[in-house]
Amino acid sequence: MKKIILLTLCVVVLSCKNNSNETITPNSNKTSNNNEKNTSPNTTLEFLVNVKNLEKDVATNPIEAFKKSATTEAKEVIYITSENLKTSLNLAKKHDYAVITVEDHTIIKLNLQDCKPSNAWDACMPKAEGYIKKGDLIYQNDYSNNIIGLPDNQERILYLF
């Protein structure tokens, strides 16, 4: 456990370098382009390869661990709202992987080839698989609107890889 904490601390310290990428503040509609890639295996890569790998993560909250690692590794990070979701999903189609997190309790990997219209989100919501953390991780495989819930003030982030 100490090794994971030290590794996470090192990643945080190294990611605090001053660069030209735009800083993201919670609940904004800003995006960030990350040009640096980390090629070492980690929570992010393992989740992208196989969603079920999240169950093997030894972190107290593997969703939070994914978010920390994905913030530096994703090509783009977008705080989504009902107003920008449709545009964000269209942008996601240009990337290999798209993942949405809700706060620190929900994570889903999107399948952008299959979608279903959602009136609440005013977008065609893609099929997704991932987890909701309610004490234990509970596997989900449904359309993303049914997993991430209705638009509200919760922090929803779209990571594009």
Side-chain angles (χ1 to χ4, degrees), residues 88-148:
S88 299
L89 290 175
N90 284 333
L91 179 62
K93 291 177 182 177
K94 298 176 184 175
H95 293 80
D96 294 330
Y97 300 102
V99 175
I100 294 177
T101 61
V102 182
E103 300 283 336
D104 65 348
H105 57 77
T106 304
I107 184 169
I108 56 173
K109 179 178 158 187
L110 304 178
N111 172 0
L112 298 166
Q113 306 304 315
D114 181 8
C115 71
K116 177 175 113 177
S118 167
N119 289 331
W121 285 98
D122 192 31
C124 193
M125 297 298 283
K127 185 83 169 170
E129 68 174 324
Y131 292 91
I132 294 176
K133 183 168 176 49
K134 293 183 180 178
D136 294 328
L137 292 172
I138 302 168
Y139 179 74
Q140 303 289 310
N141 188 357
D142 199 352
Y143 287 95
S144 53
N145 56 314
N146 296 330
I147 303 171
I148 66 171

Side-chain angles (χ1 to χ4, degrees), residues 8-9 30 47 63 65 101 139 156:
T8 303
L9 185 59
K30 296 181 181 180
F47 180 79
I63 298 170
T101 61
Y139 179 74
R156 290 178 175 84

Side-chain angles (χ1 to χ4, degrees), residues 2-13:
K2 288 181 182 180
K3 290 179 183 179
I4 293 172
I5 293 171
L6 287 174
L7 179 63
T8 303
L9 185 59
C10 289
V11 170
V12 170
V13 170

Side-chain angles (χ1 to χ4, degrees), residues 6-48:
L6 287 174
L7 179 63
T8 303
L9 185 59
C10 289
V11 170
V12 170
V13 170
L14 294 175
S15 67
C16 291
K17 290 191 259 178
N18 186 12
N19 61 30
S20 61
N21 291 345
E22 186 175 353
T23 304
I24 301 175
T25 56
N27 298 324
S28 72
N29 293 333
K30 296 181 181 180
T31 64
S32 172
N33 290 320
N34 292 326
N35 297 323
E36 297 178 19
K37 290 187 178 180
N38 182 354
T39 57
S40 63
N42 59 32
T43 302
T44 304
L45 180 60
E46 291 179 12
F47 180 79
L48 295 176

